[in-house]
Structures are given as structure tokens and as C-alpha cells.
Amino acid sequence: MRLLRALFCLLSLTCCLRAADGPYRIVFLGDSITHGGRHVELVETALVSQFPERNIEVLDLGLSSETVSGLSEPGHAGGAFPRPDLHERLDRVLAQTKPQLVFACYGMNCGIYHPLSEERLAAYQKGIRTLRNTVLATGARIVFLTPPVFDALPIAKRLLPAGRDSYPQPYEGYDDVLAAYGDWLLSQRILGWTVLDLHTAMKSALAEQRKVKPDFTFSGDGVHPNEAGHRIFTKLINDYLGLTTEVENHIVLEKIESKQRLLKDAWLSATGHKRPGVKAGLPLDKAIPQAASLDAAARVEARQLAAARTAPFPGKKSVWQGFDRYDVAVNGHQLTVVLPKEAAPGRPWCWEGEFFGHQPAPDIALLGKGVAIISLSAQNLLGSPQAVAKWEAAYDYLVRLHGFHPRPALTGLSRGGLYALNFAIAHPQQVSCIYLDAAVCDFKSWPGGKGKGKGSREEWARVLTTYGLPDEAAALAYKGNPVDNLAPLAAAKVPLLNVYGDADDVVPWEENTGIVAERYRALGGSITLIPKPGVNHHPHGLTDPTPIVDFILQHAGKQ
């Protein structure tokens, strides 16, 4: 079974997880490649095969010919109709399907098969930003895929060179246009966008295949991927969702294929669109019961498969302090899960922001009380929006697919405070309590060293890079540090426990814990301070960890 590489991402518990009796819904948006739907069928097959008890729905709302740029080439479809614009139907789709997660793959049609131009690129960028903002406004999360490859080789005789006034046939260098669109999407990662690089994955796979077979292609018409091409989509998405890529049961796949094709037509008809020639679907009140029957049959088969699994968690198994430990690769970062011998009711867990295993006494005590210890290693991201996005992904995977409690306790030692606090501020309803220890609460203090502390030039430069700040002046003016954004935590009544050395010259408590305490109390928040007289930045923790353990046990696993 292939190890997990990346995870589900969503914004918040209240917005992204429905009530226990409702579905968790994933919607795919895109053009005819998405409408073709093979990768959507494969992704849902993997989901049902691996998690047959989870109430997760996958809907394919891709529409042929569609763009997100709103552009259409002259004479499209022989002059029969202009390309449909996603934004004409987007509000209806979101209102009716109510997704928690959206995958969007646009670009192939958005440049209308012409050479790169600033105007067309700007239209694509505007359309993508509008799509993202519209989805986020509903409380859902959106994951973008860079455009797939345009393969000139199989249709070379039909293509036109650069320098023309018109392009009744595609531009021969159109894949370079899609690469530019993809590069722009990837550049948005620094702002916390989640972007899967499909274009590079397809291009690399194509190059490898052509070393053996020079005329190999994923798309005979240059645009629409074949089965092998769709499996590249599938691998990226499954890796992101924490699923194995292989189809484990072909009976499950057959049921999902029928279900997907039934629901796709029904939902496109129900939500409406401007694209002529699309097959009309059944009314939803007829399609949904039929789809439910197919889904139930698929899950019966999948449960038999799941019953054969004995491991309580995927990944490499080892032993840590006498407890079972599992390590899996998560989008290039290590997720470490240490399980108690018997989980406390509700499967509570403590999520550590960096430095797993340092001063382990509280962790060992918590494991003995049935609390899992979990850490996502996102080193060098310093609590930036990129780090928060990775925590969002891990959170949803752990809660939705593995059944951990929706409100973990968070731990932030030193720089780990930036991770724990920034995630909690973004999602206060997804946190039960926060234990901070000599915690960084303002990057101007550390690594900036703009107050009493020593600072770190190397890490200060990393702050500018990871937060996407152009220069030091922008970093000093930045208002996204935890000390400046405590109101959501106070409103959600998240209790804080801060342990600190009052002689800390690395992360001075007055510039971090002290400011947090003053402001949090002014906002009506609950914070407990435990000073360590004469102690510097190290050692972390307490000689007797009981106050830390009791604080976490009091709150973890509580609603």
C-alpha cells in the first residue's frame, strides 16, 4: 500500500464538516477534460475502497468547452455557440451542491488556443481569483490543478505558427501558454493557495515515455487525455487526499462509474448551463436514489476489502516510548502519529507544532491517559500561510478520515508557537486549548531580533521568503502575527497555558507571552501563566509536567 503523500484541505470545522448525518461533499469543476470524468471516477473509487464507512460524496460538474477566463475564440464550434463561462453558473452550482472541497482545473480553453498575451493571461488570473473568492466565501476549500499538457505532436499538421493575426486552428506553441498559466498558479502557493502541479507531472511523464516510444502521447487530439493521462490526474489528487493510487477492487470501480455518470448528467441539468449538446440528466429526485443504490453496493464490496486491513494507521510502524508510532509522508513533510494503547472517548489528540519528542514527559503521560500525540513536520515554514494550509490538510485527514476528535489540543514550543497560534486563529472552532512554551508570538521579536532578543539573520530572511514579504519594511509592518490577531481565539473561548523563562534572551517573554497575556485578558480570554524564574529559553517544559498534562486533559476531547 503506497504511503500517504499529501492530505485533504479544508478551512474550518463549522464550514467544512457537516453534521454527523450529512455528507461531506467534494465537487470537481473544469472543462471537457473534467467532464470526461475518468479521474473523478478513479478518485471516488479509491475513497470508497479505503473509507467505506465515511459519508463522502464526489460530484463531477465539469462542463465541455468551458473557460474561467470568459473568453471565446471567433467561430468557436463552427460559430454555433461561444464558449460557456464558469461564472455564469458558479453561484448556482455552489448553492445547490454545497461542497466542502472543490477541485478546479482550468486553462486548456482559457487561452483560446492563441499565443500568450497579457490580456488573455490577465483574464485567466481574474477568473481564477474570482472562482477562489467565490468558493471561499461559502466556507469551502478550493484546490487548483495547473492546466494539463497540450500535446502538439499528434496534431502537428493542424497547428499554426506564431505571428498570425488569427488562429482558426491552435497555435503550435500553445503548451508554453499553459505552462505560463501554471507557473502563475504555482506562484500563488506563497499566499496559502493549494495548487497541484498537473502540467509538470504530465510533461515529465510524457518525456519519460518518449525516451522509449518517440510518438507516445496521452492525448490523440492534443487536448483530451486517455486513460493513462487521467491516471496522472488521479495520482496527484489521491496523493493529496491521502489515498493509494491503485484501484483495489474493480467491482467497486464499476459501481462508481455508473453512479458518477448518472449523477453528472443530473447535476448539470439541475444547476443549469449555457452549453448546447450536453446530455440531459434525470431529475435529481430520480437520479439520487439510483445513485444511492449503486453507492451502497460499492460500499458492501469495499467493506469486505477494509475488513482485511489490520493496521490501525497507515505508514511506517515503529515504537516510541513504548507506544505504537506511525510515520507517513505528507506532501513532502512527515506526519508522526503516536497512538495510546487504548484511546480515550472521542479519540482526543495533542497536536505539536514542531520539535516532536523534545521534553517528552507530558506526551508520555498523555498517551497513558488515552490521548494521541501527533506532529506534522513543516520545518522552515515558520507558521506562514503555507504552513497553515498544510495543517488544514492534516487536520481534515485526521478528523474526517481517521476519526480523531474535531478539537485537538495544540502545543507550541518556541517557533512552534507561530504554527499553533496561526492555525488556531484561522480556525478557532477546531481547537480545544493551546499549551505554549517559550513560544514565538511575533516574528519581529524572533527571528527578527527587533527587540531585546538575539534574533537570527538566517531565519529572518526565511520569514520574508515564506511569508511572501518583499523586504524588511514590509515584515515590520505586517499585521498577521499572533500578537495582533487574538480576538478570534478569545471569542471562541480557547484557553491558553503559557510556560516561559523570565530570563529568555532568545524569545523574550515580554515581547511574546507578555503581550499575548495582556491583550488576551483585555479581550476576555482565559490565559494561565507559569513563569520559570531565572530560566533562559531552554530547557522547555516543567520539572513536574503535571500542570501541563492536567490542563490538556481538562480540555482535549471536549466540545
Side-chain angles (χ1 to χ4, degrees), residues 27 75 85 96 123 149 185 348 377:
V27 167
D85 181 354
Q96 293 183 49
V149 164
L185 268 177
S377 177

Side-chain angles (χ1 to χ4, degrees), residues 323 339-344 367-371:
F323 297 90
L339 299 178
K341 297 185 184 302
E342 183 176 348
L367 285 162
K369 297 292 186 179
V371 179

Side-chain angles (χ1 to χ4, degrees), residues 213-297:
K213 187 179 180 183
D215 63 346
F216 179 87
T217 186
F218 287 121
S219 49
D221 65 357
V223 173
H224 298 93
N226 56 19
E227 176 84 6
H230 274 283
R231 286 183 179 273
I232 295 176
F233 282 74
T234 304
K235 183 181 186 308
L236 279 177
I237 296 166
N238 280 358
D239 281 355
Y240 176 79
L241 295 176
L243 306 170
T244 55
T245 299
E246 296 84 359
V247 174
E248 300 183 47
N249 188 301
H250 287 277
I251 297 176
V252 177
L253 176 59
E254 290 170 4
K255 300 298 183 184
I256 296 301
E257 287 171 344
S258 299
K259 172 191 169 186
Q260 276 292 327
R261 293 164 194 180
L262 174 69
L263 287 178
K264 174 168 53 183
D265 294 339
W267 277 104
L268 282 174
S269 294
T271 55
H273 56 80
K274 299 289 187 180
R275 209 291 187 180
V278 176
K279 178 184 175 182
L282 292 174
L284 286 177
D285 61 356
K286 295 185 181 301
I288 288 176
Q290 293 183 33
S293 178
L294 291 165
D295 184 79

Side-chain angles (χ1 to χ4, degrees), residues 54-385:
R54 301 296 181 184
N55 190 5
I56 301 173
E57 292 184 358
V58 178
L59 300 179
D60 183 351
L61 271 292
L63 183 64
S64 296
S65 306
E66 189 166 72
T67 75
V68 76
S69 65
L71 302 177
S72 184
E73 61 270 46
H76 171 256
F81 61 90
R83 291 188 178 278
D85 181 354
L86 167 68
H87 300 291
E88 183 277 326
R89 67 185 181 107
L90 180 59
D91 287 339
R92 298 193 302 275
V93 167
L94 296 176
Q96 293 183 49
T97 62
K98 297 180 172 60
Q100 283 73 49
L101 178 64
V102 174
F103 284 95
C105 184
Y106 286 96
M108 182 63 77
N109 297 332
C110 295
I112 60 174
Y113 301 90
H114 284 47
L116 185 65
S117 77
E118 291 185 5
E119 293 79 11
R120 285 187 286 273
L121 176 59
Y124 176 74
Q125 293 170 339
K126 179 181 178 181
I128 289 289
R129 288 192 180 101
T130 301
L131 166 58
R132 181 174 186 269
N133 291 338
T134 303
V135 170
L136 294 184
T138 70
R141 181 79 175 169
I142 185 164
V143 176
F144 291 102
L145 284 79
T146 58
V149 164
F150 175 82
D151 191 357
L153 182 64
I155 57 171
K157 293 181 179 179
R158 294 181 47 219
L159 304 181
L160 300 174
R164 293 174 55 95
D165 293 331
S166 63
Y167 284 85
Q169 300 290 351
Y171 164 52
E172 63 184 3
Y174 191 59
D175 192 57
D176 293 336
V177 177
L178 299 183
Y181 286 12
D183 287 345
W184 174 78
L185 268 177
L186 292 170
S187 74
Q188 304 306 295
R189 283 176 170 174
I190 200 168
L191 301 179
W193 292 33
T194 302
V195 182
L196 308 184
D197 193 2
L198 173 64
H199 191 269
T200 297
M202 288 192 74
K203 197 164 186 175
S204 297
L206 191 60
E208 285 299 310
Q209 291 289 342
R210 284 184 177 164
K211 290 177 181 178
V212 179
K213 187 179 180 183
D215 63 346
F216 179 87
T217 186
F218 287 121
S219 49
D221 65 357
V223 173
H224 298 93
N226 56 19
E227 176 84 6
H230 274 283
R231 286 183 179 273
I232 295 176
F233 282 74
T234 304
K235 183 181 186 308
L236 279 177
I237 296 166
N238 280 358
D239 281 355
Y240 176 79
L241 295 176
L243 306 170
T244 55
T245 299
E246 296 84 359
V247 174
E248 300 183 47
N249 188 301
H250 287 277
I251 297 176
V252 177
L253 176 59
E254 290 170 4
K255 300 298 183 184
I256 296 301
E257 287 171 344
S258 299
K259 172 191 169 186
Q260 276 292 327
R261 293 164 194 180
L262 174 69
L263 287 178
K264 174 168 53 183
D265 294 339
W267 277 104
L268 282 174
S269 294
T271 55
H273 56 80
K274 299 289 187 180
R275 209 291 187 180
V278 176
K279 178 184 175 182
L282 292 174
L284 286 177
D285 61 356
K286 295 185 181 301
I288 288 176
Q290 293 183 33
S293 178
L294 291 165
D295 184 79
R299 291 175 189 274
V300 167
E301 188 70 24
R303 287 187 188 98
Q304 296 177 7
L305 187 70
R309 300 191 186 97
T310 57
F313 204 86
K316 179 182 177 181
K317 184 179 179 181
S318 60
V319 176
W320 184 82
Q321 302 290 344
F323 297 90
D324 288 343
R325 168 178 172 169
Y326 299 86
D327 290 285
V328 292
V330 177
N331 200 20
H333 299 276
Q334 179 173 293
L335 178 70
T336 297
V337 178
V338 183
L339 299 178
K341 297 185 184 302
E342 183 176 348
R347 298 196 74 190
W349 51 301
C350 183
W351 195 352
E352 300 187 343
E354 296 292 276
F355 309 119
F356 166 76
H358 181 67
Q359 298 290 349
D363 295 348
I364 296 169
L366 289 167
L367 285 162
K369 297 292 186 179
V371 179
I373 303 299
I374 298 178
S375 176
L376 180 71
S377 177
Q379 294 178 354
N380 301 328
L381 293 180
L382 297 170
S384 65

Side-chain angles (χ1 to χ4, degrees), residues 21 39 77 150 161 173 263 283 289 341 345 351 357 359 370 372 388 399 403 417 423 425 466 470 509 516 540:
D21 60 349
H39 61 276
F150 175 82
L263 287 178
K341 297 185 184 302
W351 195 352
Q359 298 290 349
V388 172
V399 171
F423 175 81
I425 288 165
T466 57
W509 79 273
V516 168
H540 292 294

Side-chain angles (χ1 to χ4, degrees), residues 396-462:
D396 198 68
Y397 175 80
L398 292 162
V399 171
R400 192 65 188 180
L401 296 184
H402 283 285
F404 286 96
H405 196 278
R407 298 189 66 194
L410 304 187
T411 297
L413 274 63
S414 191
R415 72 182 67 185
L418 290 173
Y419 294 80
L421 285 168
N422 282 337
F423 175 81
I425 288 165
H427 308 290
Q429 299 298 331
Q430 294 176 201
V431 178
S432 63
C433 62
I434 307 174
Y435 155 50
L436 299 167
D437 195 309
V440 179
C441 307
D442 185 344
F443 63 48
K444 297 191 296 297
S445 174
W446 188 93
K450 303 306 177 183
K452 295 170 57 179
K454 298 176 180 178
S456 167
R457 288 186 179 181
E458 180 182 357
E459 298 298 337
W460 182 235
R462 201 186 309 278

